[in-house]
Amino acid sequence: MEQNLELLDAWMNMTANIKVNRLLHDMSLNEMFICSYIYRFGKASFKQLIEKTNLLKSQMNRQINDLIEKGFVIKNTDDKDKRKIILEMTEKGKEVYLKEHEKVVALINRVTKELGNKKTASLAKLMKEAVG
């Protein structure tokens, strides 16, 4: 039980640190998750993004609408199934995403420097096991 509380405390400290230090300026964390997936695969369906991020449909709708309003993402219909919504990033969206991504990578580099390569690899493995 004590370990669970320590893990919860560590998780809360990490997420609070990201928010307090305003790591992300032009995108929310959820927008980063969405854009990361779209950037990586070139495009994504609404359904894929919900499955990947575990956001509710209503949350995803809001996030996508915000991204469209900011000019970061465009909405298209699938050529084969007109009911299916396909999302793609705009050039502006890619530019902003990559800028924000660099900040996250810099944070990861600081963590790696602090922990060392061996502990960082162990942390990554443990996080994957915990989620998987």
Side-chain angles (χ1 to χ4, degrees):
M1 184 67 161
E2 183 65 30
Q3 286 177 323
N4 291 348
L5 293 176
E6 284 184 45
L7 180 59
L8 177 60
D9 189 46
W11 181 263
M12 290 172 60
N13 284 335
M14 181 183 70
T15 55
N17 194 313
I18 290 171
K19 288 181 182 178
V20 166
N21 291 319
R22 297 285 303 147
L23 180 65
L24 303 174
H25 295 282
D26 296 317
M27 288 185 172
S28 69
L29 199 53
N30 282 342
E31 289 173 340
M32 277 294 291
F33 290 148
I34 292 165
C35 287
S36 175
Y37 188 86
I38 297 171
Y39 183 82
R40 188 173 182 193
F41 296 101
K43 59 184 175 181
S45 71
F46 192 83
K47 183 178 178 182
Q48 286 172 319
L49 291 171
I50 288 173
E51 289 171 358
K52 185 65 178 174
T53 62
N54 290 318
L55 292 174
L56 300 172
K57 278 185 178 184
S58 59
Q59 292 172 306
M60 184 60 70
N61 270 327
R62 183 165 187 256
Q63 296 298 313
I64 295 300
N65 287 335
D66 288 349
L67 287 166
I68 290 170
E69 189 175 301
K70 290 177 181 180
F72 297 166
V73 170
I74 56 171
K75 205 189 286 192
N76 295 310
T77 53
D78 186 66
D79 293 335
K80 296 176 185 171
D81 184 353
K82 298 296 180 193
R83 297 170 296 168
K84 190 175 180 181
I85 296 170
I86 302 296
L87 300 154
E88 295 180 61
M89 291 182 73
T90 63
E91 288 305 315
K92 177 182 177 183
K94 289 176 188 177
E95 183 180 310
V96 172
Y97 166 74
L98 289 173
K99 185 177 84 174
E100 298 288 68
H101 180 74
E102 285 178 25
K103 294 175 192 174
V104 174
V105 169
L107 174 65
I108 292 167
N109 288 339
R110 289 194 308 264
V111 169
T112 300
K113 185 177 179 182
E114 184 70 30
L115 294 179
N117 290 333
K118 189 174 181 179
K119 285 184 178 179
T120 301
S122 294
L123 177 61
K125 182 181 177 188
L126 288 170
M127 289 174 76
K128 286 179 183 177
E129 284 180 28
V131 174

